[in-house]
């Protein structure tokens, strides 16, 4: 007798910088969510589709949930991202709560409370176990964080090295309903190539600027066209605008003689070609919109808060 097929949605939730996007990419088997060492790299809800033996997991990668206090955390950007997380957990079958091995702080407690209040089964994913210097400390840590808290399962993993994921997938499938696949086997996200192009440019901003431009830049794709006149095959012509908040931030992004902007564009283009399977011609510009990250109307115009 053939086993039933399971398909359902799973929120991927955690405080900033615990590796949620790396985990989603590892489970999908392709890069659908951008990653960097900077907290709050993920700003949008993004669906990663993992088609596995016996089912399909629709994983909703979310921004890092954090307490709304302090200068940055009181901003409109912060409020929009937190609303995205809270809205996601109201409409899923289960959740993965991702934490960092050896660390549990007040923001992890906040995440647990949000998930507990949502009344959905929660799998605790203890990520970055490969970075834990004292491996003997893992079991006491697991005992500590699970005391007084109910989890459907607990899985120590290394998303970066793709360790411990098979048993995690099996437990997640048990938590979602019997249903046919919602997407074709070769689909990996519900987001458009246009959206992903903008995210790949922003990823390079986050990676290359470090703390020089904290949270003050976003990317808008002004043009996304397929040029079929090329002999070597379709060429994607993409125009990306990098928006900053002050005139003085433009030279930080552009760099000396435009070197940094060229490097951002080159790295982003390579990632696009790898993901889209087409040659890409990418143009980038830097423009200023004062205070956009603390203006809910501007955030809406840039697509923040959209599902």
């Amino acid at each position: 007798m053939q086993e039933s097929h399971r398909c359902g949605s799973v929120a991927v939730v955690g405080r900033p910088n615990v590796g949620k996007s790396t985990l989603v990419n590892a489970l999908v088997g392709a890069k659908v969510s951008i990653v960097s060492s900077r907290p709050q790299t993920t700003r949008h809800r993004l669906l990663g589709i993992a088609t596995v033996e016996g089912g399909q997991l629709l994983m909703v990668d979310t921004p890092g949930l954090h307490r709304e206090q302090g200068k940055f955390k009181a901003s409109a950007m912060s409020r929009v991202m937190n609303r995205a997380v809270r809205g996601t957990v109201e409409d899923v079958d289960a959740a993965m709560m991702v934490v960092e091995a050896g660390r549990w702080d007040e923001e992890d407690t906040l995440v647990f409370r949000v998930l507990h209040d949502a009344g959905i089964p929660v799998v605790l994913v203890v990520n970055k176990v490969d970075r834990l210097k004292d491996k003997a400390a893992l079991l006491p840590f697991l005992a500590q964080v699970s005391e007084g808290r109910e989890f459907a399962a607990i899985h120590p993993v290394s998303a970066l090295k793709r360790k411990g994921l098979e048993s995690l997938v099996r437990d997640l499938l048990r938590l979602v309903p019997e249903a046919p696949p919602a997407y074709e086997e070769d689909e990996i996200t519900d987001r458009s190539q246009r959206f992903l192009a903008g995210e790949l440019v922003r990823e390079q901003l986050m990676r290359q600027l470090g703390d020089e431009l904290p949270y003050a830049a976003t990317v808008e794709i002004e043009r996304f066209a397929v040029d079929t006149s090329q002999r070597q095959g379709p060429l994607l012509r993409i125009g990306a605008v990098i928006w900053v908040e002050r005139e003085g931030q433009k030279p930080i992004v552009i760099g000396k003689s435009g070197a940094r902007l060229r490097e951002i564009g080159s790295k982003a283009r390579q990632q696009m070609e790898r993901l889209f399977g087409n040659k890409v011609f990418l143009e980038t510009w830097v423009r200023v919109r004062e205070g956009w990250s603390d203006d809910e109307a501007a955030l809406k115009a840039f697509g923040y808060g959209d599902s």
Side-chain angles (χ1 to χ4, degrees):
M1 181 177 176
Q2 187 176 8
E3 290 188 15
S4 60
H5 186 279
R6 292 181 174 271
C7 178
S9 54
V10 180
V12 186
V13 187
R15 62 172 167 79
N17 219 28
V18 292
K20 298 181 296 296
S21 297
T22 302
L23 177 63
V24 169
N25 290 340
L27 292 171
V28 171
K31 183 171 183 173
V32 294
S33 195
I34 65 173
V35 294
S36 83
S37 60
R38 293 278 303 283
Q40 303 299 349
T41 298
T42 300
R43 294 179 180 172
H44 304 268
R45 284 182 290 183
L46 184 145
L47 186 70
I49 304 163
T51 300
V52 297
E53 184 177 353
Q56 192 173 73
L57 296 171
L58 314 178
M59 295 171 295
V60 189
D61 190 11
T62 63
L65 186 68
H66 50 264
R67 293 172 294 154
E68 295 183 13
Q69 65 180 32
K71 184 177 180 181
F72 166 68
K73 293 183 178 180
S75 70
M77 170 74 80
S78 172
R79 295 193 298 271
V80 166
M81 290 192 293
N82 274 356
R83 284 202 300 267
V85 179
R86 295 176 186 274
T88 296
V89 301
E90 293 175 358
D91 194 31
V92 292
D93 299 302
M96 282 186 280
M97 178 180 171
V98 186
V99 301
E100 185 177 344
R103 178 181 171 188
W104 181 288
D105 62 21
E106 292 181 2
E107 289 189 326
D108 295 302
T109 300
L110 170 63
V111 173
F112 176 78
R113 287 174 180 164
V114 168
L115 293 173
H116 180 268
D117 291 347
I120 54 177
V122 178
V123 173
L124 180 66
V125 179
V126 181
N127 192 24
K128 305 184 183 181
V129 294
D130 54 306
R131 297 186 184 179
L132 200 61
K133 292 181 180 179
D134 181 7
K135 304 300 182 186
L138 181 59
L139 288 178
F141 175 75
L142 298 181
Q144 173 197 339
V145 300
S146 59
E147 185 175 357
R149 302 183 180 102
E150 185 177 347
F151 296 107
I154 299 176
H155 287 271
V157 307
S158 169
L160 186 63
K161 296 188 175 181
R162 303 192 178 191
K163 301 292 186 181
L165 302 185
E166 290 184 7
S167 59
L168 171 61
V169 166
R170 287 195 296 269
D171 276 345
L172 290 172
L173 284 174
R174 295 187 186 106
L175 297 176
V176 300
E178 293 185 9
Y183 294 89
E184 296 296 328
E185 189 173 345
D186 60 348
E187 292 184 272
I188 57 175
T189 184
D190 63 341
R191 290 290 193 167
S192 67
Q193 288 186 330
R194 187 187 192 101
F195 171 86
L196 295 172
E199 286 289 272
L200 290 171
V201 175
R202 191 168 63 80
E203 178 183 52
Q204 292 306 316
L205 280 169
M206 301 288 281
R207 289 188 169 193
Q208 296 192 38
L209 294 176
D211 294 327
E212 293 183 68
L213 200 66
Y215 313 109
T218 194
V219 177
E220 180 181 25
I221 299 299
E222 277 197 339
R223 182 181 64 186
F224 192 104
V226 182
D227 182 352
T228 58
S229 67
Q230 305 297 309
R231 289 183 178 179
Q232 67 271 30
L235 174 70
L236 299 180
R237 295 187 178 274
I238 300 172
V241 178
I242 298 169
W243 290 96
V244 295
E245 293 191 302
R246 296 188 300 276
E247 196 67 36
Q249 293 168 340
K250 286 180 66 176
I252 297 174
V253 178
I254 294 170
K256 187 177 180 180
S257 302
R260 176 170 275 165
L261 185 60
R262 285 196 298 273
E263 181 70 5
I264 289 168
S266 175
K267 292 287 180 61
R269 177 186 55 78
Q270 292 170 27
Q271 290 287 337
M272 291 177 198
E273 290 181 342
R274 189 173 296 118
L275 181 60
F276 302 153
N278 291 104
K279 287 293 184 182
V280 172
F281 177 76
L282 174 65
E283 293 181 286
T284 56
W285 301 270
V286 184
R287 296 176 187 162
V288 179
R289 179 161 179 169
E290 294 283 343
W292 68 264
S293 70
D294 203 23
D295 179 343
E296 294 219 11
L299 289 169
K300 186 174 182 180
F302 287 140
Y304 291 100
D306 293 347
S307 58

